[in-house]
Coordinates of all heavy atoms in Angstrom, one line a residue:
M1 N -9.4 -4.5 10.2 CA -10.4 -5.5 10.2 C -11.6 -5.1 11.0 O -11.6 -4.8 12.2 CB -9.8 -6.8 10.8 CG -10.9 -7.9 11.0 SD -10.1 -9.3 11.9 CE -11.5 -10.0 12.7
K2 N -12.8 -4.9 10.3 CA -14.0 -4.5 11.0 C -15.1 -5.5 10.6 O -15.8 -5.3 9.6 CB -14.4 -3.1 10.5 CG -14.0 -2.1 11.5 CD -14.7 -0.7 11.1 CE -14.0 0.4 11.8 NZ -14.5 1.7 11.4
P3 N -15.2 -6.6 11.4 CA -16.3 -7.5 11.1 C -17.7 -7.0 11.4 O -17.9 -6.1 12.2 CB -16.0 -8.7 12.1 CG -15.1 -8.1 13.1 CD -14.5 -6.9 12.6
T4 N -18.6 -7.4 10.6 CA -20.0 -7.1 10.8 C -20.7 -8.1 11.6 O -20.5 -9.3 11.4 CB -20.7 -6.9 9.4 OG1 -20.0 -6.0 8.6 CG2 -22.1 -6.4 9.6
C5 N -21.4 -7.7 12.6 CA -22.1 -8.7 13.5 C -23.2 -9.3 12.6 O -24.1 -8.6 12.1 CB -22.7 -8.0 14.7 SG -23.7 -9.0 15.7
P6 N -23.3 -10.7 12.6 CA -24.3 -11.3 11.8 C -25.7 -11.2 12.5 O -26.7 -11.5 11.8 CB -23.8 -12.8 11.8 CG -22.9 -12.9 13.0 CD -22.3 -11.6 13.2
S7 N -25.7 -10.8 13.7 CA -27.0 -10.8 14.4 C -27.6 -9.4 14.4 O -28.8 -9.2 14.0 CB -26.7 -11.2 15.9 OG -27.9 -11.1 16.6
C8 N -26.8 -8.3 14.7 CA -27.4 -6.9 14.7 C -26.9 -6.1 13.6 O -27.2 -4.9 13.4 CB -27.1 -6.3 16.0 SG -25.4 -6.0 16.4
Q9 N -26.0 -6.6 12.7 CA -25.5 -5.9 11.5 C -24.6 -4.7 11.8 O -24.4 -3.9 11.0 CB -26.6 -5.5 10.5 CG -27.6 -6.6 10.2 CD -26.9 -7.8 9.5 OE1 -25.9 -7.7 8.7 NE2 -27.3 -9.0 9.9
N10 N -24.2 -4.5 13.1 CA -23.3 -3.4 13.4 C -21.9 -3.7 13.0 O -21.5 -4.9 13.1 CB -23.4 -3.1 14.9 CG -24.5 -2.2 15.3 OD1 -24.6 -1.1 14.7 ND2 -25.3 -2.6 16.2
K11 N -21.2 -2.7 12.6 CA -19.7 -2.9 12.3 C -19.0 -2.9 13.7 O -19.3 -2.0 14.5 CB -19.2 -1.8 11.4 CG -19.6 -2.0 10.0 CD -18.4 -1.9 9.1 CE -18.7 -2.1 7.6 NZ -19.2 -3.4 7.3
I12 N -18.2 -3.8 13.9 CA -17.6 -3.9 15.2 C -16.1 -3.5 15.2 O -15.3 -4.0 14.4 CB -17.6 -5.4 15.7 CG1 -19.1 -5.9 15.8 CG2 -17.0 -5.5 17.1 CD1 -19.2 -7.4 16.0
N13 N -15.8 -2.5 16.0 CA -14.4 -2.0 16.1 C -13.7 -2.9 17.0 O -14.2 -3.3 18.1 CB -14.4 -0.6 16.8 CG -14.5 0.5 15.7 OD1 -13.7 0.4 14.7 ND2 -15.3 1.5 15.9
N14 N -12.4 -3.2 16.7 CA -11.6 -4.1 17.5 C -11.5 -3.6 18.9 O -11.5 -4.4 19.8 CB -10.2 -4.2 16.9 CG -10.1 -5.3 15.8 OD1 -11.0 -6.1 15.7 ND2 -9.1 -5.3 15.1
R15 N -11.4 -2.3 19.1 CA -11.2 -1.8 20.5 C -12.5 -1.8 21.3 O -12.4 -1.6 22.5 CB -10.6 -0.4 20.4 CG -11.5 0.7 19.7 CD -11.0 2.1 20.0 NE -11.9 3.1 19.4 CZ -11.8 3.5 18.2 NH1 -10.9 3.0 17.4 NH2 -12.7 4.3 17.7
D16 N -13.6 -2.0 20.6 CA -14.9 -2.1 21.4 C -15.1 -3.6 21.9 O -16.0 -3.8 22.7 CB -16.1 -1.8 20.5 CG -16.1 -0.3 20.2 OD1 -15.5 0.5 21.0 OD2 -16.6 0.1 19.2
I17 N -14.3 -4.5 21.4 CA -14.5 -5.9 21.8 C -13.9 -6.1 23.2 O -12.8 -5.8 23.4 CB -13.8 -6.8 20.8 CG1 -14.5 -6.7 19.4 CG2 -13.9 -8.3 21.3 CD1 -13.8 -7.5 18.3
K18 N -14.8 -6.5 24.1 CA -14.3 -6.7 25.5 C -14.0 -8.2 25.8 O -13.1 -8.5 26.5 CB -15.3 -6.1 26.5 CG -15.3 -4.6 26.4 CD -16.2 -4.0 27.4 CE -16.2 -2.5 27.3 NZ -17.0 -2.0 26.1
N19 N -14.9 -9.0 25.3 CA -14.8 -10.4 25.6 C -14.3 -11.2 24.4 O -15.0 -11.2 23.4 CB -16.1 -11.0 26.1 CG -16.5 -10.3 27.5 OD1 -15.6 -10.2 28.3 ND2 -17.7 -9.9 27.6
T20 N -13.2 -11.9 24.6 CA -12.7 -12.8 23.5 C -12.4 -14.2 24.1 O -12.3 -14.3 25.3 CB -11.4 -12.2 22.9 OG1 -10.4 -12.1 23.9 CG2 -11.6 -10.9 22.2
N21 N -12.3 -15.1 23.2 CA -12.1 -16.5 23.6 C -11.4 -17.2 22.5 O -11.7 -17.1 21.3 CB -13.5 -17.1 23.8 CG -13.4 -18.5 24.4 OD1 -12.4 -18.9 24.9 ND2 -14.5 -19.2 24.4
K22 N -10.3 -17.8 22.8 CA -9.5 -18.5 21.8 C -9.8 -20.0 21.9 O -9.5 -20.6 23.0 CB -8.0 -18.2 22.0 CG -7.3 -18.4 20.6 CD -6.0 -17.7 20.7 CE -5.1 -17.9 19.5 NZ -5.6 -18.8 18.4
K23 N -10.3 -20.6 20.9 CA -10.6 -22.0 20.9 C -9.8 -22.7 19.9 O -10.1 -22.8 18.7 CB -12.1 -22.2 20.5 CG -13.0 -22.5 21.7 CD -14.4 -23.0 21.3 CE -15.3 -22.9 22.4 NZ -16.7 -23.1 22.0
G24 N -8.7 -23.3 20.3 CA -7.7 -24.0 19.4 C -7.2 -22.9 18.4 O -6.7 -21.9 18.8
M25 N -7.5 -23.2 17.1 CA -7.0 -22.3 16.1 C -8.0 -21.2 15.9 O -7.7 -20.2 15.2 CB -6.8 -23.0 14.8 CG -5.6 -24.0 14.8 SD -5.1 -24.5 13.2 CE -6.6 -25.3 12.6
L26 N -9.2 -21.3 16.4 CA -10.2 -20.3 16.2 C -10.4 -19.3 17.2 O -10.1 -19.5 18.4 CB -11.6 -21.1 16.0 CG -11.6 -22.0 14.7 CD1 -12.8 -22.9 14.8 CD2 -11.7 -21.2 13.5
F27 N -10.8 -18.1 16.8 CA -10.9 -16.9 17.7 C -12.3 -16.5 17.7 O -13.0 -16.3 16.7 CB -10.0 -15.9 17.1 CG -10.0 -14.6 17.8 CD1 -9.3 -14.5 19.0 CD2 -10.6 -13.5 17.3 CE1 -9.3 -13.3 19.7 CE2 -10.6 -12.3 18.0 CZ -10.0 -12.2 19.2
E28 N -12.8 -16.4 18.9 CA -14.2 -16.0 19.1 C -14.3 -14.7 19.9 O -13.4 -14.4 20.7 CB -15.0 -17.0 19.9 CG -15.0 -18.4 19.3 CD -15.6 -19.5 20.1 OE1 -15.8 -19.2 21.3 OE2 -15.9 -20.5 19.6
F29 N -15.3 -13.9 19.6 CA -15.5 -12.6 20.4 C -16.9 -12.3 20.5 O -17.8 -12.8 19.8 CB -14.7 -11.5 19.7 CG -15.1 -11.2 18.3 CD1 -16.1 -10.3 18.0 CD2 -14.5 -11.9 17.2 CE1 -16.4 -10.0 16.7 CE2 -14.8 -11.6 15.9 CZ -15.8 -10.7 15.7
E30 N -17.2 -11.4 21.5 CA -18.6 -11.0 21.8 C -18.9 -9.7 21.2 O -18.1 -8.7 21.3 CB -18.8 -11.0 23.3 CG -20.2 -10.9 23.8 CD -20.3 -10.7 25.3 OE1 -19.5 -9.9 25.8 OE2 -21.1 -11.4 25.9
C31 N -20.1 -9.6 20.5 CA -20.5 -8.3 19.9 C -20.8 -7.3 21.0 O -21.5 -7.7 21.9 CB -21.7 -8.6 19.1 SG -22.5 -7.0 18.5
P32 N -20.2 -6.1 21.0 CA -20.4 -5.1 22.1 C -21.8 -4.6 22.0 O -22.2 -3.9 23.0 CB -19.3 -4.1 21.8 CG -18.9 -4.2 20.4 CD -19.2 -5.7 20.0
Y33 N -22.5 -4.7 20.9 CA -23.9 -4.2 20.8 C -25.0 -5.1 21.3 O -25.9 -4.7 21.9 CB -24.1 -3.7 19.4 CG -23.1 -2.8 18.8 CD1 -22.0 -3.3 18.0 CD2 -23.1 -1.5 19.2 CE1 -21.1 -2.5 17.5 CE2 -22.1 -0.6 18.7 CZ -21.1 -1.1 17.9 OH -20.1 -0.3 17.4
C34 N -24.9 -6.4 20.9 CA -26.0 -7.3 21.2 C -25.5 -8.5 22.0 O -26.3 -9.4 22.2 CB -26.7 -7.7 19.9 SG -25.7 -8.7 18.8
Q35 N -24.2 -8.5 22.4 CA -23.7 -9.6 23.2 C -23.8 -11.0 22.6 O -23.8 -12.0 23.3 CB -24.4 -9.6 24.6 CG -23.7 -8.7 25.6 CD -24.0 -7.2 25.3 OE1 -25.2 -6.9 25.1 NE2 -23.0 -6.4 25.2
T36 N -23.8 -11.0 21.2 CA -23.8 -12.3 20.6 C -22.4 -12.7 20.4 O -21.5 -11.9 20.1 CB -24.5 -12.2 19.2 OG1 -25.8 -11.7 19.3 CG2 -24.5 -13.5 18.4
W37 N -22.1 -14.0 20.6 CA -20.7 -14.5 20.4 C -20.6 -14.8 18.9 O -21.4 -15.4 18.3 CB -20.4 -15.7 21.2 CG -20.1 -15.3 22.6 CD1 -21.0 -15.1 23.6 CD2 -18.8 -15.0 23.1 NE1 -20.3 -14.7 24.8 CE2 -18.9 -14.6 24.5 CE3 -17.5 -15.1 22.6 CZ2 -17.8 -14.3 25.3 CZ3 -16.4 -14.8 23.4 CH2 -16.6 -14.4 24.7
I38 N -19.5 -14.3 18.3 CA -19.2 -14.4 16.9 C -17.9 -15.1 16.6 O -16.9 -14.9 17.4 CB -19.2 -13.0 16.3 CG1 -20.5 -12.3 16.6 CG2 -18.9 -13.1 14.8 CD1 -20.4 -10.8 16.5
H39 N -17.8 -15.9 15.6 CA -16.5 -16.4 15.1 C -16.4 -16.4 13.6 O -17.4 -16.3 12.9 CB -16.2 -17.8 15.7 CG -17.1 -18.8 15.3 ND1 -17.0 -20.1 15.7 CD2 -18.2 -18.8 14.4 CE1 -17.9 -20.9 15.1 NE2 -18.7 -20.1 14.3
L40 N -15.2 -16.5 13.1 CA -15.0 -16.6 11.7 C -15.5 -17.9 11.2 O -15.3 -18.9 12.0 CB -13.5 -16.4 11.5 CG -13.0 -16.2 10.0 CD1 -13.5 -14.8 9.5 CD2 -11.5 -16.2 10.0
N41 N -16.0 -17.9 10.0 CA -16.4 -19.2 9.4 C -15.3 -20.2 9.6 O -14.1 -19.9 9.3 CB -16.7 -18.9 8.0 CG -17.0 -20.2 7.2 OD1 -16.2 -21.0 6.9 ND2 -18.3 -20.3 6.8
K42 N -15.6 -21.4 10.1 CA -14.6 -22.4 10.4 C -13.6 -22.7 9.3 O -12.4 -22.7 9.5 CB -15.3 -23.7 10.9 CG -15.4 -23.8 12.4 CD -15.5 -25.3 12.8 CE -15.7 -25.3 14.3 NZ -17.1 -25.1 14.7
T43 N -14.2 -23.0 8.1 CA -13.3 -23.3 6.9 C -12.3 -22.2 6.7 O -11.1 -22.4 6.5 CB -14.2 -23.5 5.7 OG1 -15.3 -24.2 6.1 CG2 -13.4 -24.2 4.6
L44 N -12.8 -20.9 6.7 CA -12.0 -19.8 6.5 C -10.9 -19.6 7.6 O -9.8 -19.3 7.3 CB -12.8 -18.5 6.4 CG -13.8 -18.3 5.2 CD1 -14.6 -17.1 5.3 CD2 -13.0 -18.4 3.9
G45 N -11.3 -19.9 8.8 CA -10.4 -19.8 9.9 C -9.2 -20.8 9.7 O -8.1 -20.4 10.0
V46 N -9.6 -22.0 9.3 CA -8.5 -23.0 9.1 C -7.6 -22.6 7.9 O -6.4 -22.7 8.0 CB -9.2 -24.4 8.8 CG1 -8.1 -25.4 8.3 CG2 -9.9 -24.9 10.1
L47 N -8.3 -22.1 6.8 CA -7.5 -21.6 5.6 C -6.6 -20.5 6.0 O -5.4 -20.5 5.5 CB -8.5 -21.1 4.6 CG -9.0 -22.1 3.5 CD1 -9.9 -21.4 2.6 CD2 -7.8 -22.6 2.7
K48 N -7.0 -19.6 6.9 CA -6.2 -18.5 7.3 C -5.0 -19.0 8.0 O -3.9 -18.5 7.8 CB -7.0 -17.6 8.2 CG -6.3 -16.3 8.6 CD -7.2 -15.4 9.4 CE -6.4 -14.4 10.2 NZ -7.3 -13.6 11.1
T49 N -5.2 -19.9 9.0 CA -4.1 -20.5 9.7 C -3.1 -21.2 8.8 O -1.9 -21.0 8.9 CB -4.6 -21.5 10.8 OG1 -5.7 -20.9 11.5 CG2 -3.5 -21.9 11.7
L50 N -3.7 -21.8 7.8 CA -2.9 -22.6 6.8 C -2.0 -21.6 6.0 O -0.8 -21.8 5.8 CB -3.8 -23.3 5.9 CG -3.4 -24.7 5.5 CD1 -3.7 -25.7 6.7 CD2 -4.2 -25.2 4.3
G51 N -2.6 -20.5 5.6 CA -1.9 -19.4 4.8 C -0.7 -18.9 5.6 O 0.4 -18.7 5.1
V52 N -1.0 -18.5 6.9 CA 0.1 -18.0 7.7 C 1.2 -19.0 7.9 O 2.4 -18.7 7.8 CB -0.5 -17.5 9.1 CG1 0.6 -17.0 10.0 CG2 -1.5 -16.4 8.9
S53 N 0.8 -20.3 8.1 CA 1.8 -21.3 8.3 C 2.6 -21.5 7.0 O 3.9 -21.7 7.1 CB 1.1 -22.7 8.6 OG 0.1 -22.5 9.5
L54 N 2.0 -21.4 5.9 CA 2.7 -21.5 4.6 C 3.8 -20.5 4.5 O 5.0 -20.8 4.2 CB 1.8 -21.3 3.4 CG 1.2 -22.6 2.7 CD1 0.4 -22.2 1.6 CD2 2.4 -23.5 2.2
L55 N 3.5 -19.2 4.9 CA 4.4 -18.2 4.8 C 5.6 -18.4 5.8 O 6.8 -18.3 5.5 CB 3.8 -16.8 5.2 CG 4.8 -15.7 5.2 CD1 5.1 -15.2 3.8 CD2 4.3 -14.5 6.0
L56 N 5.2 -18.9 7.0 CA 6.3 -19.2 8.0 C 7.2 -20.3 7.6 O 8.4 -20.1 7.6 CB 5.6 -19.6 9.3 CG 5.1 -18.5 10.2 CD1 4.4 -19.1 11.4 CD2 6.3 -17.6 10.7
I57 N 6.6 -21.4 7.1 CA 7.5 -22.5 6.7 C 8.4 -22.1 5.5 O 9.6 -22.4 5.5 CB 6.5 -23.7 6.3 CG1 5.8 -24.2 7.5 CG2 7.4 -24.8 5.6 CD1 4.6 -25.1 7.2
T58 N 7.8 -21.5 4.5 CA 8.6 -21.1 3.3 C 9.7 -20.1 3.6 O 10.8 -20.1 3.1 CB 7.7 -20.6 2.1 OG1 6.8 -19.6 2.6 CG2 6.8 -21.7 1.5
S59 N 9.3 -19.2 4.5 CA 10.3 -18.2 5.0 C 11.5 -18.8 5.7 O 12.7 -18.5 5.4 CB 9.7 -17.1 5.9 OG 8.6 -16.6 5.3
L60 N 11.2 -19.8 6.6 CA 12.2 -20.5 7.3 C 13.1 -21.3 6.3 O 14.3 -21.2 6.5 CB 11.6 -21.4 8.3 CG 11.1 -20.8 9.6 CD1 10.4 -21.8 10.5 CD2 12.3 -20.1 10.3
L61 N 12.5 -22.0 5.4 CA 13.3 -22.7 4.4 C 14.2 -21.8 3.6 O 15.4 -22.1 3.4 CB 12.3 -23.4 3.4 CG 11.5 -24.6 3.9 CD1 10.5 -25.0 2.9 CD2 12.4 -25.8 4.2
N62 N 13.7 -20.6 3.3 CA 14.6 -19.6 2.6 C 15.7 -19.1 3.4 O 16.8 -18.9 3.0 CB 13.7 -18.5 2.0 CG 13.0 -18.9 0.7 OD1 13.4 -19.9 0.1 ND2 12.1 -18.1 0.3
I63 N 15.3 -18.7 4.7 CA 16.3 -18.2 5.6 C 17.5 -19.2 5.8 O 18.7 -18.8 5.8 CB 15.7 -17.8 7.0 CG1 14.8 -16.6 6.8 CG2 16.8 -17.6 8.0 CD1 13.8 -16.3 7.9
F64 N 17.2 -20.4 6.0 CA 18.2 -21.4 6.2 C 18.7 -22.1 4.9 O 19.5 -23.0 4.9 CB 17.7 -22.5 7.2 CG 17.4 -21.9 8.6 CD1 16.1 -21.8 9.0 CD2 18.5 -21.5 9.4 CE1 15.9 -21.3 10.3 CE2 18.2 -21.0 10.6 CZ 16.9 -20.8 11.1
S65 N 18.3 -21.5 3.8 CA 18.7 -21.9 2.5 C 18.5 -23.4 2.3 O 19.4 -24.1 1.7 CB 20.2 -21.5 2.2 OG 20.3 -20.2 2.2
I66 N 17.4 -24.0 2.8 CA 17.2 -25.4 2.6 C 16.5 -25.5 1.2 O 15.6 -24.8 0.8 CB 16.2 -25.9 3.7 CG1 16.8 -25.7 5.0 CG2 15.8 -27.4 3.4 CD1 15.8 -25.9 6.2
K67 N 17.0 -26.4 0.4 CA 16.6 -26.6 -1.0 C 16.5 -25.3 -1.7 O 15.5 -24.9 -2.3 CB 15.2 -27.2 -1.0 CG 15.0 -28.5 -0.2 CD 14.7 -29.7 -1.1 CE 14.4 -30.9 -0.2 NZ 15.4 -32.0 -0.6
S68 N 17.7 -24.6 -1.7 CA 17.7 -23.2 -2.1 C 17.4 -23.0 -3.6 O 17.0 -22.0 -4.1 CB 19.0 -22.5 -1.8 OG 20.0 -23.3 -2.3
K69 N 17.5 -24.1 -4.4 CA 17.2 -24.0 -5.8 C 15.7 -23.8 -6.0 O 15.2 -23.4 -7.1 CB 17.7 -25.2 -6.6 CG 17.1 -26.5 -6.2 CD 17.7 -27.7 -7.1 CE 17.3 -29.0 -6.4 NZ 17.7 -30.2 -7.2
Y70 N 14.9 -24.1 -4.9 CA 13.4 -23.9 -5.0 C 13.0 -22.5 -4.4 O 11.9 -22.3 -4.2 CB 12.7 -25.0 -4.4 CG 12.9 -26.3 -5.0 CD1 13.5 -27.4 -4.2 CD2 12.6 -26.6 -6.3 CE1 13.7 -28.6 -4.8 CE2 12.8 -27.8 -6.9 CZ 13.3 -28.9 -6.1 OH 13.6 -30.1 -6.7
S71 N 14.0 -21.7 -4.0 CA 13.7 -20.6 -3.1 C 12.7 -19.6 -3.8 O 11.8 -19.1 -3.1 CB 14.9 -19.8 -2.7 OG 15.5 -19.2 -3.9
S72 N 12.7 -19.5 -5.1 CA 11.7 -18.6 -5.7 C 10.3 -19.2 -5.6 O 9.3 -18.4 -5.5 CB 12.1 -18.2 -7.1 OG 12.1 -19.4 -7.9
I73 N 10.3 -20.5 -5.7 CA 8.9 -21.2 -5.6 C 8.4 -21.0 -4.2 O 7.3 -20.6 -3.9 CB 9.1 -22.7 -5.9 CG1 9.5 -22.9 -7.4 CG2 7.7 -23.4 -5.6 CD1 9.9 -24.3 -7.7
F74 N 9.3 -21.2 -3.2 CA 8.9 -21.0 -1.8 C 8.4 -19.6 -1.6 O 7.4 -19.4 -0.9 CB 10.1 -21.2 -0.8 CG 10.5 -22.7 -0.8 CD1 11.8 -23.0 -0.5 CD2 9.6 -23.7 -1.0 CE1 12.2 -24.3 -0.4 CE2 10.0 -25.0 -1.0 CZ 11.3 -25.3 -0.7
S75 N 9.1 -18.6 -2.1 CA 8.7 -17.2 -1.9 C 7.3 -17.0 -2.5 O 6.4 -16.3 -1.9 CB 9.6 -16.2 -2.7 OG 10.9 -16.4 -2.2
T76 N 7.0 -17.5 -3.7 CA 5.7 -17.4 -4.3 C 4.6 -18.1 -3.5 O 3.6 -17.5 -3.2 CB 5.7 -18.1 -5.7 OG1 6.9 -17.6 -6.4 CG2 4.5 -17.7 -6.5
V77 N 4.9 -19.3 -3.0 CA 3.9 -20.0 -2.2 C 3.7 -19.3 -0.9 O 2.5 -19.1 -0.5 CB 4.5 -21.4 -1.9 CG1 3.6 -22.1 -0.9 CG2 4.5 -22.3 -3.2
G78 N 4.7 -18.8 -0.3 CA 4.6 -18.0 0.9 C 3.8 -16.7 0.7 O 2.9 -16.4 1.5
F79 N 4.0 -16.1 -0.4 CA 3.3 -14.9 -0.7 C 1.8 -15.2 -0.9 O 0.9 -14.5 -0.4 CB 3.8 -14.2 -1.9 CG 3.1 -12.9 -2.3 CD1 3.4 -11.7 -1.5 CD2 2.2 -12.8 -3.3 CE1 2.7 -10.6 -1.8 CE2 1.5 -11.7 -3.6 CZ 1.8 -10.5 -2.9
A80 N 1.5 -16.3 -1.6 CA 0.1 -16.7 -1.9 C -0.5 -17.0 -0.5 O -1.7 -16.6 -0.3 CB 0.1 -17.9 -2.8
G81 N 0.2 -17.6 0.4 CA -0.3 -18.0 1.7 C -0.8 -16.8 2.5 O -1.9 -16.7 3.0
I82 N 0.1 -15.8 2.5 CA -0.2 -14.6 3.3 C -1.3 -13.7 2.7 O -2.1 -13.1 3.3 CB 1.1 -13.8 3.7 CG1 0.8 -12.9 4.9 CG2 1.6 -12.9 2.5 CD1 0.6 -13.6 6.2
F83 N -1.3 -13.8 1.3 CA -2.3 -13.1 0.6 C -3.7 -13.7 0.9 O -4.6 -12.9 1.2 CB -2.0 -13.2 -0.9 CG -2.9 -12.4 -1.8 CD1 -2.8 -11.0 -1.7 CD2 -3.8 -12.9 -2.6 CE1 -3.6 -10.2 -2.5 CE2 -4.6 -12.1 -3.4 CZ -4.5 -10.7 -3.4
I84 N -3.8 -15.0 0.9 CA -5.1 -15.6 1.3 C -5.5 -15.3 2.7 O -6.6 -14.9 3.0 CB -4.9 -17.2 1.1 CG1 -4.8 -17.5 -0.4 CG2 -6.1 -17.9 1.7 CD1 -4.4 -18.9 -0.6
A85 N -4.5 -15.3 3.6 CA -4.8 -15.0 5.0 C -5.3 -13.6 5.2 O -6.2 -13.3 5.9 CB -3.5 -15.2 5.9
M86 N -4.7 -12.7 4.4 CA -5.1 -11.3 4.5 C -6.5 -11.1 3.9 O -7.3 -10.4 4.5 CB -4.1 -10.4 3.7 CG -3.1 -9.8 4.6 SD -1.9 -8.9 3.6 CE -2.9 -7.8 2.6
L87 N -6.8 -11.7 2.8 CA -8.1 -11.6 2.2 C -9.2 -12.1 3.2 O -10.2 -11.5 3.4 CB -8.2 -12.5 0.9 CG -7.6 -11.9 -0.4 CD1 -7.8 -12.9 -1.5 CD2 -8.3 -10.6 -0.7
I88 N -8.9 -13.2 3.8 CA -9.8 -13.8 4.8 C -10.0 -12.8 6.0 O -11.1 -12.6 6.5 CB -9.4 -15.2 5.3 CG1 -9.5 -16.1 4.1 CG2 -10.2 -15.7 6.4 CD1 -8.9 -17.5 4.3
T89 N -8.9 -12.2 6.4 CA -9.0 -11.3 7.6 C -9.9 -10.1 7.2 O -10.7 -9.7 8.1 CB -7.6 -10.8 7.9 OG1 -6.7 -11.9 8.2 CG2 -7.6 -9.9 9.1
F90 N -9.8 -9.6 6.0 CA -10.5 -8.4 5.6 C -12.0 -8.7 5.2 O -12.9 -8.0 5.4 CB -9.8 -7.6 4.6 CG -8.6 -6.9 5.2 CD1 -7.3 -7.3 4.9 CD2 -8.8 -5.8 6.0 CE1 -6.2 -6.6 5.4 CE2 -7.7 -5.2 6.6 CZ -6.5 -5.6 6.3
F91 N -12.1 -9.9 4.4 CA -13.4 -10.1 3.8 C -14.1 -11.4 4.4 O -15.2 -11.7 3.9 CB -13.3 -10.2 2.3 CG -12.6 -9.0 1.7 CD1 -11.3 -9.1 1.2 CD2 -13.3 -7.8 1.7 CE1 -10.7 -7.9 0.6 CE2 -12.7 -6.7 1.1 CZ -11.4 -6.7 0.6
G92 N -13.5 -12.0 5.3 CA -14.0 -13.3 5.8 C -15.4 -13.1 6.4 O -15.7 -12.1 7.0
K93 N -16.2 -14.1 6.3 CA -17.6 -14.1 6.8 C -17.6 -14.5 8.2 O -17.0 -15.5 8.6 CB -18.5 -15.0 5.9 CG -19.9 -14.5 5.9 CD -20.6 -15.2 4.8 CE -22.1 -15.1 5.1 NZ -22.6 -13.8 5.6
H94 N -18.2 -13.7 9.1 CA -18.3 -14.1 10.5 C -19.7 -14.7 10.7 O -20.7 -14.3 10.1 CB -18.1 -12.9 11.4 CG -16.7 -12.5 11.4 ND1 -16.1 -11.8 10.4 CD2 -15.7 -12.7 12.3 CE1 -14.8 -11.6 10.7 NE2 -14.6 -12.1 11.9
E95 N -19.7 -15.6 11.6 CA -21.0 -16.3 12.0 C -21.3 -16.2 13.4 O -20.4 -16.1 14.3 CB -20.8 -17.8 11.6 CG -20.6 -18.1 10.2 CD -20.3 -19.6 10.0 OE1 -19.8 -20.3 10.9 OE2 -20.6 -20.1 8.9
E96 N -22.6 -16.3 13.7 CA -23.1 -16.3 15.1 C -22.8 -17.7 15.7 O -22.9 -18.7 15.0 CB -24.6 -16.1 15.0 CG -25.2 -15.5 16.2 CD -26.7 -15.2 15.9 OE1 -27.0 -14.8 14.8 OE2 -27.4 -15.4 16.8
I97 N -22.4 -17.7 16.9 CA -22.2 -19.0 17.6 C -23.5 -19.4 18.3 O -24.0 -18.7 19.1 CB -21.0 -19.0 18.6 CG1 -19.7 -18.6 17.9 CG2 -20.9 -20.3 19.3 CD1 -18.6 -18.3 18.9
K98 N -24.0 -20.6 17.9 CA -25.3 -21.0 18.5 C -25.0 -22.0 19.6 O -24.1 -22.7 19.6 CB -26.1 -21.6 17.4 CG -26.4 -20.5 16.3 CD -27.8 -20.7 15.7 CE -28.1 -19.5 14.9 NZ -27.3 -19.5 13.6
Ligands
ZN101 ZN1 -24.3 -7.7 17.4

C-alpha cells in the first residue's frame, strides 16, 4: 500500500511514516514530506472495516459449523468482504485532514 499525498502528490512509503493516529475505526498518518495529516476517505474506511468484519464473521460461522448448510454462501460473502477491503487498501482515495 503506497498512498499518494493529496497535498504534495508524493508517494508515501509505509516505513517513512513516523506519526500515526488511530481515531476509532479510522487510521490517520502524517505525510513525511509536507507534514500534512492524511486519512482514508471516511466512507471507504468504514467499508473496509465492514469487509474485514464480514470475513471474520463468516469464517467463525464456518469454523463452528453454525448453519452449515449455508457454509458456501458464507465463504462467498467472506471472500467478497476481504476482496472489497483489499481493493480499498490498494486503491482507496486518501484525503487531507483539515
Ligand atoms: Zn505531502
Side-chain angles (χ1 to χ4, degrees):
M1 172 187 152
K2 263 191 194 174
T4 306
C5 175
S7 178
C8 65
Q9 309 301 322
N10 273 308
K11 287 232 179 294
I12 302 167
N13 268 315
N14 274 348
R15 60 168 185 275
D16 291 336
I17 298 171
K18 287 182 185 76
N19 295 315
T20 59
N21 190 11
K22 207 163 173 356
K23 260 193 191 166
M25 291 197 299
L26 295 166
F27 179 72
E28 302 176 343
F29 58 92
E30 193 185 41
C31 172
Y33 306 100
C34 66
Q35 274 74 49
T36 302
W37 280 86
I38 303 158
H39 66 178
L40 192 65
N41 177 288
K42 265 206 181 78
T43 319
L44 291 178
V46 171
L47 268 178
K48 185 179 161 183
T49 313
L50 223 74
V52 175
S53 317
L54 262 182
L55 179 77
L56 278 176
I57 293 164
T58 50
S59 306
L60 281 177
L61 287 171
N62 278 346
I63 288 165
F64 295 109
S65 298
I66 300 164
K67 308 243 186 240
S68 54
K69 60 179 169 179
Y70 299 119
S71 69
S72 62
I73 298 171
F74 291 153
S75 303
T76 313
V77 171
F79 182 76
I82 201 65
F83 188 68
I84 291 167
M86 265 174 54
L87 278 182
I88 293 171
T89 304
F90 287 109
F91 304 109
K93 210 167 159 38
H94 286 78
E95 297 175 333
E96 206 176 321
I97 301 172
K98 299 214 170 71

